[in-house]
Amino acid sequence: MSVLRSLNQVAAVTWMNLRNVPARPSSSIVAMLGIAGVVAVLVAILSISAGFKKTLSGTGSADTAIVLRAGSSSELSSGISAEDARIISQAPGIAQGADGPLTSSELYVVVDVPKRTTNTDANVPLRGVQETAFEVRQSLSIVEGRRFESGLREIIVGQAASRQFAGLDVGADLQWGNNEWTVVGVFEDDGSLSESEIWTDTRVLQNAYNRGSSFQTVRARLADIDAFQTFKDALTADSRLDVTVEREADFYSGQSRVLTAIINSVGVAVTGLMGIGAIFAAILTMYAAVSARTREIATLRALGFGRIPIVVSVLIEALVLGVIGGIIGGVVAYYGFNGFQTSTLNWASFSQVSFAFAVTLPLLITGLIYALIMGLFGGLLPSVRAARMPITVALREL
Amino acid sequence: MSSVKIRGLTKTYMRGSERLDVLNNLDLDVKGGDFVALMGPSGSGKTTLLNLIGGIDRPNSGSIFVDNQRIDQLSDRQLAHWRSRNVGFIFQMFNLLPVLSAERNVELPLLLTNMAAAERRSRARTALSLVGLDDRASHKPAELSGGQEQRVGIARAIVTDPGLLLCDEPTGDLDRKAGDEILELLVALNQSQGKTIIMVTHDPHAAERAQRTVHLDKGRLEMDAAA
């Protein structure tokens, strides 16, 4: 029953404290907005890496394998000969299409295209694919124009690339090196990394960039998800080959690691510093709140209220300010940044990745937890001061 | 009806490096059902003595018994619990909580008991009607006159039915008429309910209403007179 009594005390004092909040609107608002600002910045920064990660991890499926030269961690540094590509395409575990195994031997180069926003050149991946690529990646579809014709210098452009970069509209002619290319279509691929790319016929690209008959990667659609091990074992056991085999999904999520780590550490550092500032604002607010109520607290103590309910109630008040600030910050981050389109350099491929900021539920929860931590630290010292105040001295306060 | 027995009570404060002997080896007996006025010049130790009897301050030495229970050796937690059961405080500035209605203010001490909410409300209403304020139950302190606020303060002090009421200048912030009404109320509580009342006051007119007046000066008992 003493627990019930304590809860009664906490509830009564907390209720009183919260009823007092509107009496000090400016300092309460400053504390709430301080916390809201920190949460908004934290969530916004983390939403960059979440969006980037989402784009990369949304790329590639578990039932598609990518084959690179052994030791290569990126497509740019990989190389596969035509003969190796042929051997790979005959490995067990690959799904069969109407015209044979569903593999696409691909070439990957980087071209300069000006950004729409700054008009400065950025690296955009130009991927050469075989016709089977559209069967290997079944989520891909043309949303404007048509596919490129084999043998012609025609390109199709990912939807995100078309939004971010200038001059990639259907019908446009583009000059890269000594070659002129015509944009014939725009494709979408569920917001994945492919949408940041430009695609063309792999043979045409080999000629244009003097790559002979070599490729950089081979994509293979697996007969089913479980066929991966069979496929991988067959390739790694084949003495003619020296290759690395990964599921496409794993490959891309590995590629996002460097950038997300950088963004996350910047986010944590920036918001860590801002958080300290917000905690001080909360501390000052709660000190003001406690000192405005010195006599009330002393009266309660004289009536027999314990120290703990006083501490807990001041903490709850600070936490409530924190939660409100956290919610405001989360809402600002969501409406201000969620879906905001941008592009950045993917350090793993040295080419631009277009992606959207993703303010996800876990990020909002992280922001709210951070707000609670700020509120807790903001309320801690003032609550202890409130509880330790000698009753006889505090009763004389005006 | 609570009795108070004080022996060898000493209370010292430090003001910087200066030592202030506020109470000096003081003895005092208050019988159960007494109404005692504590008088004396400023700084004579009246309020300190009241605070020590009420268990919101601690002596440097000496003993305080209330109803034969020694309270100066209780822990902070035990003292808080003891206060909630045995003492009603009435303050000069009323010390009501401004955000709560009169009824909620009176109900506060009952939150320290295991009483159900309905029972608490009913007791608070009864206490308010005892001080003649049943029609003001839902008013906030700011909507009440000073005299009415002090009545709410008294209702809060008696709602747990303690044997001892400690009043620190209960009429000090009121005009003569309102002050007289409060004194009437205290006398009534003393006579009809047998509450032991110890009242600090500067006002000889207020002290006249008590059965006994104790004068303090420089921390010592100067004069002890029955009315």
Side-chain angles (χ1 to χ4, degrees), chain A residues 33-372:
Chain A
L33 291 187
I35 290 172
V38 177
V39 170
V41 171
L42 175 75
V43 173
I45 293 181
L46 294 184
S47 76
I48 299 173
S49 61
F52 184 76
K53 208 169 172 178
K54 191 173 161 193
T55 297
L56 261 66
S57 61
T59 303
S61 52
D63 61 0
T64 304
I66 177 170
V67 184
L68 300 103
R69 182 169 62 199
S72 295
S73 57
S74 72
E75 293 191 72
L76 215 50
S77 61
S78 174
I80 301 228
S81 69
E83 175 58 13
D84 286 355
R86 193 188 56 76
I87 297 168
I88 292 164
S89 68
Q90 287 165 356
I94 300 176
Q96 298 294 313
D99 302 322
L102 292 183
T103 61
S104 169
S105 300
E106 302 185 347
L107 201 59
Y108 185 93
V109 301
V110 170
V111 292
D112 284 344
V113 185
K115 281 191 173 187
R116 277 188 199 276
T117 46
T118 57
N119 211 32
T120 51
D121 280 346
N123 293 343
V124 178
L126 172 56
R127 181 184 294 281
V129 298
Q130 295 181 316
E131 272 186 44
T132 43
F134 296 98
E135 286 177 79
V136 173
R137 297 172 177 86
Q138 289 178 339
S139 55
L140 190 139
S141 62
I142 297 287
V143 291
E144 190 186 345
R146 58 171 174 83
R147 288 185 189 176
F148 55 81
E149 292 253 356
S150 296
L152 298 180
R153 289 213 170 117
E154 291 183 342
I155 53 175
I156 56 172
V157 178
Q159 204 163 233
S162 148
R163 271 197 299 264
Q164 285 287 316
F165 302 103
L168 297 180
D169 306 314
V170 173
D173 291 324
L174 299 154
Q175 182 85 29
W176 290 316
N178 297 322
N179 306 294
E180 192 163 284
W181 304 81
T182 307
V183 182
V184 296
V186 175
F187 65 89
E188 64 105 20
D189 187 17
D190 291 345
S192 78
L193 181 67
S194 309
E195 289 190 10
S196 299
E197 298 178 347
I198 301 171
W199 283 16
T200 188
D201 179 3
T202 194
R203 302 261 173 225
V204 173
L205 194 60
Q206 282 171 335
N207 287 334
Y209 282 76
N210 301 321
R211 297 292 177 96
S213 60
S214 71
F215 302 100
Q216 275 161 302
T217 58
V218 175
R219 292 289 203 293
R221 185 169 184 80
L222 301 167
D224 57 67
I225 286 181
D226 301 327
F228 176 76
Q229 205 54 45
T230 314
F231 177 67
K232 184 178 179 178
D233 291 347
L235 295 190
T236 47
D238 194 322
S239 59
R240 295 168 294 175
L241 298 173
D242 187 17
V243 293
T244 300
V245 186
E246 278 190 80
R247 283 188 201 271
E248 209 184 20
D250 296 341
F251 173 73
Y252 282 115
S253 70
Q255 291 226 314
S256 70
R257 229 163 269 149
V258 177
L259 194 70
T260 50
I262 292 172
I263 296 172
N264 285 347
S265 18
V266 168
V268 168
V270 169
T271 50
L273 288 173
M274 289 179 69
I276 292 171
I279 286 172
F280 276 108
I283 288 177
L284 290 178
T285 302
M286 294 314 299
Y287 267 136
V290 165
S291 84
R293 288 203 296 268
T294 300
R295 201 148 58 95
E296 290 175 31
I297 291 170
T299 304
L300 290 171
R301 297 279 318 282
L303 295 180
F305 281 75
R307 286 178 203 272
I308 290 171
I310 305 283
V311 169
V312 173
S313 62
V314 172
L315 279 181
I316 291 176
E317 181 180 350
L319 288 175
V320 166
L321 293 183
V323 166
I324 296 172
I327 291 171
I328 294 172
V331 167
V332 167
Y334 185 82
Y335 286 102
F337 297 100
N338 192 38
F340 179 74
Q341 288 285 339
T342 188
S343 68
T344 190
L345 188 71
N346 179 10
W347 292 49
S349 67
F350 289 105
S351 55
Q352 291 285 316
V353 179
S354 299
F355 65 97
F357 285 37
V359 178
T360 58
L361 186 63
L363 280 192
L364 291 172
I365 292 170
T366 304
L368 207 54
I369 291 172
Y370 196 39
L372 282 172

Side-chain angles (χ1 to χ4, degrees), chain A residues 15, chain B residues 100-109 111 120-121 124 137:
Chain A
W15 174 236
Chain B
L100 302 184
S101 67
E103 186 181 307
R104 292 284 189 162
N105 264 290
V106 175
E107 192 191 340
L108 273 176
L111 295 173
R120 293 200 303 262
R121 292 291 170 83

Side-chain angles (χ1 to χ4, degrees), chain A residues 5 16 19 295 301 307, chain B residues 76 83 95 97 99 112:
Chain A
R5 272 205 306 272
M16 239 152 40
R19 296 274 295 270
R295 201 148 58 95
R301 297 279 318 282
R307 286 178 203 272
Chain B
D76 280 356
R83 286 196 299 272
N95 289 15
L97 305 188
V99 293
L112 303 169

